[in-house]
Amino acid sequence: MELNEKGLRERKWWTERGYKLPEFDRKAVREATGREPVWVHFGAGNIFRAFPARAVQELLDQGIMDRGLVAAEGYDTEILERVNRPHDEYSVLVTLKADGTVEKTVVGSILASYGLGGLKEIFTMDSLQIASFTITEKGYGVSGAEEDFKNGPDRAKTYMGQVAGLLYRRFLAGRKPIAMVSMDNCSHNGDRLLEAMETFAGKWCENGLTDRGFLEYVTDRSRVAFPWTMIDKITPRPGQDVLKILEEDGLTGMEPVVTAKNTYAAPFVNAEECEYLVIEDDFPNGRPALEKAGFLFTDRETVEKAEKMKVCTCLNPLHTALAVFGCLLGYKKISEEMKDRDLVSLLRRIGYEEGLPAVTDPGILDPREFLDTVLTVRFPNPFLPDSPQRIATDTSQKLSVRFGETIKAYMESPDLDMDRLRGIPLVLAGWLRYRMAVDDDGRLMELSPDPMAERLGRQLERIQLGGCLQMEHIQGSEHALRPEGVPGPEIREALRPVLSDAAVFGVDLFKAGLADRVTEYFTEMAAGPGMVRRTLHALGKGEK
C-alpha cells in the first residue's frame, strides 16, 4: 500500500493495521485553505509534522478549524519533490511510547507545499494569521546578505531576505497584520526573527529600495508580532526500526531520502509521546483555538520562565550530561544510559539537588513534575532511536546556557550554596575529558562535530591519558616539564585558557570558584582507563 490519496481511499486496510486516519473532508479543507489560508509554516520538518501539524489535524477532525496548513521550504526544495508531493502531503507519525506501545497516525493537515517564491500571493491575503518557523537557530542569520541589502526585496536570495521580501508584499497590500512565530529551540526566538526582519527593512529603507514605512510596519507590534515560544518534543531522525514496522504493515515507498544538500528526510516521523508548546499570546490578526489541542498561551515573561526551566535545568543539561558520558562509556542509545545507576544518580543530582533550587517556577508548567517526566518517561523510552553521539554535537555552544545560567544563579543568590555544585562541575570536566577523543577503555573515539574542535584540540592535545602533560612549557610558568610528564596539579594551568572562557561556560570558572573542582574531576578522569566510571560512581556514593 502507498501513502497517498489513492492509497488512503482503502480506509479499511489502514484501520485494520492500527492507523488513525484523518476524519475531516480533506478536499473541502484544501479548497478553503487555497481560498483563505490562515497558517504558513517555514521548514516543515520532523518536529512540525509531529506536533503542530498533528494538533491542527485534531482540530480539523473536531470541526474547530476548517482550514489546514501550507508548508514552505526555503533551504532544500528537493524535500518537496521527493517526500511531500509524491505522498500528496501526507506523512505518518509514529509515536513511540515508553510503555512499549506504538501509535500510528496518518497526518493530512498539510494541504500544499511551496518554495518561498510560491508564497507571494498568500502573503497578501487578509486571511493569513500565522507564519511560523522551525528552521534551526542558524536559519535566522543575516551574514552574507550584503547583496540582498543592495538588490532589494524582489531579488533577495538569502532565506531571511526572502522572508522579509514576503513581509514587504504584505506591507504593500495594506499593512496587513500577522504573527511571525518562531518555534525554534533557542532563547527569545521571536527576537531572533524580529532582528533579522528589522535588519532587512532598515537596510532596504536606507538604500531607497522600499517604502520608508516598511521599517515602521515591521516594528509595530500591533501590526507584526514576533511572539516568544518554548517548544519541547523529541523527534529523532527517522529510524530503521520504525521503517521496518511500516514495511511489515505492507506500506511501500517509505524509505528515507538524502538530498543533494545532505538533508535526511522521510515520509514518516518517529517521536516521543510527551510534548509542550508555550506561546506568547500575541496574534494581531487573530488565531485558531489551538489551546483546545494542548498549546499553552500566556505572556512573554511566562514563556521565558518556561524556556529557562527546560533549557537551563530540567531537560537540556541532563541531555548534555548523557551525551558526554554516554560517548565516554560506549553507549549508543540514550535509553540504555538510563539503566546505568551511576548516570541516573548524576542526572538526579544535577536536576533535583542542584538545578531546582535555582529555578523560577513558570506557573504554567510545574518544574518538578516536568523533571519527573523527563527522568521516568522520556529519557528511558527504549523506542526512541536517539544517541549520545548526536546530542554531543556543538556542545561548546550549549554549555553557557545549559549550565552557565545555573552557576550564575548560585553566584548571585545569598540563599544558594556554591559548595552544593558537584554534578555540574563533573559534567564540565567530563566534556573536557570527552574532548581528548579517548573513551574510558582507553580506545580512540570519533568526536561529534563542534565549531571549537580545532581550538580545543590544540589546548588538550598535550594532556595524555594518565593525567600527564607532554609539553615543553606551560603558559605563565617558568617550569620546563620533564619528558615523562608532570603530576596532575599542573593541568590546572594548562586548562586555564578554556576554564576562564565565559563564552564557553557562561562564566569564568575561576571567578565562580569552580575551576579547581572541575580540574580535580578532569585530572581524576584522565588518570587512566576506567577512571571516568570510578569518578561517576564515587559522586553517586557521596564520596566527591
Side-chain angles (χ1 to χ4, degrees):
M1 182 64 69
E2 294 183 347
L3 176 67
N4 53 32
E5 291 283 10
K6 180 181 178 181
L8 284 160
R9 293 190 193 115
E10 305 293 332
R11 293 182 66 87
K12 184 178 179 182
W13 185 95
W14 295 85
T15 56
E16 286 179 343
R17 288 160 177 79
Y19 289 81
K20 185 180 185 301
L21 300 179
E23 299 294 334
F24 63 94
D25 184 338
R26 199 167 190 247
K27 181 180 179 182
V29 171
R30 182 187 293 110
E31 291 173 353
T33 303
R35 291 192 305 268
E36 295 183 310
V38 297
W39 188 343
V40 171
H41 184 83
F42 295 81
N46 292 340
I47 195 166
F48 175 73
R49 290 188 289 158
F51 192 176
R54 194 272 312 150
V56 168
Q57 176 155 300
E58 181 180 327
L59 298 183
L60 288 168
D61 286 344
Q62 296 175 29
I64 295 171
M65 288 182 68
D66 60 3
R67 281 160 289 175
L69 295 157
V70 176
E73 180 54 49
Y75 171 71
D76 192 346
T77 55
E78 189 180 343
I79 297 171
L80 306 182
E81 300 300 329
R82 298 184 64 186
V83 177
N84 289 55
R85 291 168 189 164
H87 299 282
D88 296 328
E89 311 295 344
Y90 285 106
S91 62
V92 174
L93 167 60
V94 182
T95 302
L96 307 168
K97 298 190 174 183
D99 64 5
T101 60
V102 173
E103 185 178 278
K104 298 171 290 190
T105 305
V106 175
V107 178
S109 58
I110 299 173
L111 281 307
S113 60
Y114 301 97
L116 301 194
L119 300 173
K120 294 177 180 179
E121 182 180 355
I122 290 175
F123 262 75
T124 67
M125 294 183 176
D126 292 345
S127 60
L128 186 62
Q129 297 176 326
I130 302 170
S132 57
F133 300 76
T134 48
I135 58 175
T136 76
E137 185 174 357
K138 298 175 184 177
Y140 301 99
V142 298
S143 60
E146 289 75 15
E147 290 301 311
D148 283 4
F149 297 153
K150 297 175 184 176
N151 294 334
D154 291 332
R155 297 166 58 195
K157 299 296 183 184
T158 64
Y159 202 127
M160 285 292 99
Q162 292 180 75
V163 172
L166 292 169
L167 201 53
Y168 185 55
R169 285 182 170 272
R170 192 161 186 80
F171 165 79
L172 293 176
R175 300 177 185 240
K176 295 176 179 177
I178 190 172
M180 305 287 283
V181 187
S182 169
M183 295 180 179
D184 275 298
N185 189 17
C186 55
S187 181
H188 302 173
N189 46 19
D191 285 355
R192 301 286 184 94
L193 182 55
L194 169 59
E195 288 166 9
M197 296 300 98
E198 193 173 1
T199 297
F200 279 97
K203 292 290 186 180
W204 287 339
C205 290
E206 181 183 317
N207 294 335
L209 297 167
T210 59
D211 187 299
R212 297 198 65 83
F214 181 44
L215 179 58
E216 179 183 336
Y217 168 72
V218 167
T219 55
D220 181 356
R221 288 189 62 175
S222 70
R223 311 303 297 174
V224 186
F226 296 85
W228 291 3
T229 69
M230 187 282 281
I231 193 167
D232 183 22
K233 188 176 181 73
I234 298 174
T235 54
R237 173 183 285 192
Q240 289 298 312
D241 290 346
V242 175
L243 174 62
K244 185 178 179 181
I245 292 173
L246 302 179
E247 290 179 336
E248 288 177 350
D249 283 341
L251 273 177
T252 60
M254 302 299 289
E255 300 83 2
V257 301
V258 180
T259 70
K261 289 188 175 181
N262 207 34
T263 303
Y264 190 96
F268 69 93
V269 180
N270 39 233
E272 65 169 338
E273 59 197 286
C274 299
E275 57 189 23
Y276 307 88
L277 181 52
V278 183
I279 307 180
E280 179 186 0
D281 199 355
D282 191 2
F283 291 79
N285 202 28
R287 62 171 177 79
L290 294 164
E291 65 275 11
K292 295 182 179 180
F295 291 19
L296 301 171
F297 289 93
T298 184
D299 56 32
R300 174 167 288 197
E301 182 181 3
T302 303
V303 174
E304 181 170 32
K305 290 177 181 177
E307 193 262 344
K308 282 189 173 181
M309 178 203 73
K310 169 201 163 188
V311 174
C312 303
T313 305
C314 295
L315 176 70
N316 294 33
L318 311 187
H319 235 174
T320 292
L322 289 175
V324 167
F325 287 107
C327 291
L328 285 167
L329 297 174
Y331 285 105
K332 300 300 180 184
K333 290 184 68 174
I334 292 296
S335 58
E336 290 298 316
E337 292 187 74
M338 294 304 293
K339 300 174 185 177
D340 187 316
R341 291 184 180 181
D342 291 334
L343 291 177
V344 172
S345 178
L346 174 64
L347 297 190
R348 295 185 67 84
R349 181 176 186 99
I350 294 170
Y352 293 109
E353 296 182 37
E354 300 179 11
L356 283 184
V359 165
T360 300
D361 188 341
I364 203 165
L365 293 170
D366 180 85
R368 182 170 288 273
E369 289 181 6
F370 188 96
L371 182 55
D372 289 343
T373 302
V374 167
L375 293 178
T376 62
V377 178
R378 303 180 69 182
F379 285 177
N381 189 332
F383 293 97
L384 284 178
D386 217 349
S387 70
Q389 291 74 24
R390 184 189 75 83
I391 297 166
T393 300
D394 298 341
T395 300
S396 69
Q397 308 302 293
K398 303 170 182 175
L399 297 172
S400 62
V401 174
R402 298 187 179 191
F403 297 101
E405 292 303 309
T406 296
I407 295 172
K408 288 177 188 176
Y410 274 78
M411 293 173 69
E412 296 167 0
S413 173
D415 299 323
L416 296 174
D417 182 5
M418 186 69 75
D419 193 55
R420 178 196 295 265
L421 298 183
R422 303 285 170 167
I424 288 175
L426 180 58
V427 177
L428 303 184
W431 174 64
L432 293 171
R433 171 66 181 80
Y434 161 81
R435 293 306 314 178
M436 292 175 68
V438 180
D439 69 17
D440 197 34
D441 290 328
R443 296 183 299 244
L444 293 175
M445 65 179 181
E446 183 178 352
L447 299 180
S448 301
D450 193 296
M452 287 187 64
E454 185 177 349
R455 173 191 155 186
L456 291 165
R458 289 196 305 269
Q459 291 174 335
L460 295 172
E461 66 183 356
R462 299 162 298 185
I463 303 174
Q464 298 183 343
L465 198 64
C468 293
L469 286 167
Q470 295 293 339
M471 56 189 292
E472 295 179 356
H473 183 71
I474 299 177
Q475 184 177 357
S477 169
E478 298 301 321
H479 180 71
L481 301 182
R482 299 184 301 276
E484 63 270 22
V486 296
E490 296 289 345
I491 292 176
R492 183 177 187 270
E493 292 306 311
L495 294 179
R496 180 177 289 276
V498 65
L499 294 179
S500 61
D501 192 342
V504 176
F505 297 110
V507 296
D508 179 333
L509 293 178
F510 285 92
K511 293 180 180 179
L514 292 176
D516 285 345
R517 194 167 297 160
V518 172
T519 301
E520 178 185 348
Y521 284 142
F522 172 80
T523 303
E524 182 171 343
M525 289 188 286
M531 292 305 298
V532 172
R533 170 65 68 185
R534 179 174 173 177
T535 307
L536 276 168
H537 189 66
L539 181 70
K541 292 177 64 178
E543 297 173 359
K544 293 290 179 183

